[in-house]
Each structure stands twice: as structure tokens, then as C-alpha cells.
Amino acid sequence: MLIAGNWKMYKGPAETAAFCRALRDQELDGVDVVVCPPYVSLATAVELLAGTEIGVAAQNVHWDGEGPYTGEVSASMLRELGVYGAIVGHSERRQYFGETDETVAKRARAALAAGLFVIACVGETEDERARDETETVLRRQVGALGDPDENLVIAYEPVWAIGTGKTATPELAQEAHALIKSLLDVPVLYGGSVKPDNAAELLAQPGVDGALVGGASLDLDSFTAICRAATR
Ligand code: 13P
């Protein structure tokens, strides 16, 4: 089981340091734990979690090694910092920053080639689900990612469940995860309002290999409660 905390645009270096100091004192055996701070806080997280089993990943990564791409960061720069992986294709990137299946795939392939671990996000919007297009959307998004890789995992994040408090039922999550796994044989995390009180039930589904946690990953107690639910 892998539990990854996507901090989004929360926690600068000072808050990151306080969180990581507290996190490294926790007993979290039997679960792989990753935190994904904003770029400016990555170095702090890497430094404070060095020597622990907890991984540090970025929230995005560019496909070129360097170049005239204002506001972007490359895989080799992340590697230089000691960062172990990156999220790509989060729905907030697709929705607000123009990411497409093509750019997401370019980011994912370049990051894998550079030796990073990649969490690639897919998921349907509320409208797409209402129009019965979930399967079509997932087939398109997963298909664009290319071949399986030992350093690739997918996060299924139904967009209507992100930050809304609405969670996919365990059955609905299982159905989507089974479809994704039939398309690409990689572990699949569930994301979308995962909280301490629903984590165990979601993680108990056979197709659910872990969780990508947003809001609940910002608080140490709720994040570690989710990590512990993954060990049961
Ligand atoms: P929430 O857990 O806040 O719904 O966010 C999910 C998410 O987007 C994780 O990447």
C-alpha cells in the first residue's frame, strides 16, 4: 500500500519543516508513505526526511531537461534535489493550467526516463459521469500514458470527489480501478476526499493499492490515521 499526501499550494518551508519533524517521529511500518510539497518546500522536506523511509515527490515536472519554459522545473533538477518522484496530470493542472493528455504523457515519460517515480492522475468530471462517459474518459486518459513501468502508478481521482467531501463508494472506486488495471497493469491509488473515517473501507477494495490524499494530508493526525488504516 502507498499513501501519498498531495499538499497542493499549502505549506511553505517553515510549515513543511514542522510537519516533517513530527512525521518522522511516527511509527508507520508496513505502508509506503510519500509527501508532495510545493516546489519551494521540496528541499526542506528532503533534508528533514533523509534517512527515513518516507519519500518526497513534486506535484508536477517538465518533459525537457532544461530550456526556455518559464515557471517549469525539470526531472533532472528534482533528482539533483534528492526528490524521488512527481505527480503528473492532476485534474487541477488539467482544469486550470491547460494540461492535456499529450502534455501529461510527455511529463510522465520524461520523468520515468530520468529515474523518477511517477503518480499519473486520471478521472472523470461530474458532467462526464452524468453523461455516462466515465469509461471513455478513463480509456483515453490511461491510453495516452503509454506502457507500464515499474516506477509508474496511476491515481484514480474522480474530479467530482476532489475537495468536495463527496467520495466514490468503495464499489464505484473498485469498478474504475478494475477498468484502469485492465488497460495498464500498474498499481492504482484512489484520490478524492479520502479521510480517516473512509480510508479503511476504500483501501479494502481489491483493486485499490493506496490513496492520494489532498486536504486530509495537511494535518499530521489525519494523515497518519490514513497511513495506519493502510497497514490493516
Ligand atoms: P482531497 O483529498 O482534498 O479531496 O483532494 C484529493 C486530491 O486532489 C489529491 O490529489
Side-chain angles (χ1 to χ4, degrees):
M1 283 275 172
L2 168 64
I3 305 295
N6 174 11
W7 292 0
K8 307 191 178 184
M9 201 172 72
Y10 294 96
K11 296 192 194 296
E15 273 187 71
T16 295
F19 188 97
C20 291
R21 276 195 192 96
L23 183 62
R24 72 184 179 197
D25 291 338
Q26 302 283 318
E27 300 271 338
L28 295 173
D29 297 331
V31 54
D32 294 323
V33 179
V34 173
V35 293
C36 309
Y39 284 132
V40 292
S41 302
L42 286 170
T44 303
V46 167
E47 187 187 326
L48 284 164
L49 295 174
T52 75
E53 298 283 304
I54 301 166
V56 177
Q59 297 172 18
N60 200 4
V61 57
H62 195 264
W63 52 82
D64 263 355
E66 59 182 6
Y69 301 108
T70 303
E72 293 284 331
V73 170
S74 73
S76 56
M77 292 169 184
L78 294 174
R79 290 289 307 258
E80 185 180 340
L81 217 53
V83 167
Y84 138 97
I87 297 172
V88 298
H90 192 279
S91 65
E92 287 151 13
R93 301 289 325 163
R94 295 178 190 257
Q95 191 176 348
Y96 305 127
F97 302 100
E99 293 280 354
T100 63
D101 290 338
E102 192 192 351
T103 58
V104 172
K106 281 171 79 173
R107 292 177 193 277
R109 298 323 309 183
L112 290 169
L116 287 178
F117 178 82
V118 170
I119 302 175
C121 304
V122 299
E124 79 287 0
T125 63
E126 191 157 31
D127 284 353
E128 288 162 344
R129 177 159 284 274
R131 290 198 300 266
D132 224 13
E133 290 172 7
T134 300
E135 182 171 338
T136 312
V137 169
L138 293 180
R139 281 183 183 278
R140 194 195 69 226
Q141 292 179 338
V142 174
L145 289 171
D147 296 328
D149 188 290
E150 60 179 6
N151 283 322
L152 176 64
V153 305
I154 287 183
Y156 169 60
E157 300 207 309
V159 178
W160 47 270
I162 295 178
T164 58
K166 288 190 214 167
T167 315
T169 61
E171 296 73 29
L172 199 150
Q174 171 59 28
E175 195 185 325
H177 283 226
L179 170 68
I180 292 166
K181 283 170 179 288
S182 75
L183 300 170
L184 199 65
D185 186 17
V186 296
V188 182
L189 314 180
Y190 171 78
S193 297
V194 176
K195 308 285 179 210
D197 61 0
N198 61 23
E201 199 185 11
L202 285 159
L203 295 168
Q205 298 301 310
V208 176
D209 302 305
L212 182 56
V213 185
S217 73
L218 297 171
D219 175 79
L220 186 77
D221 290 341
S222 61
F223 186 57
T224 53
I226 293 168
C227 293
R228 292 198 175 95
T231 64
R232 284 201 290 275

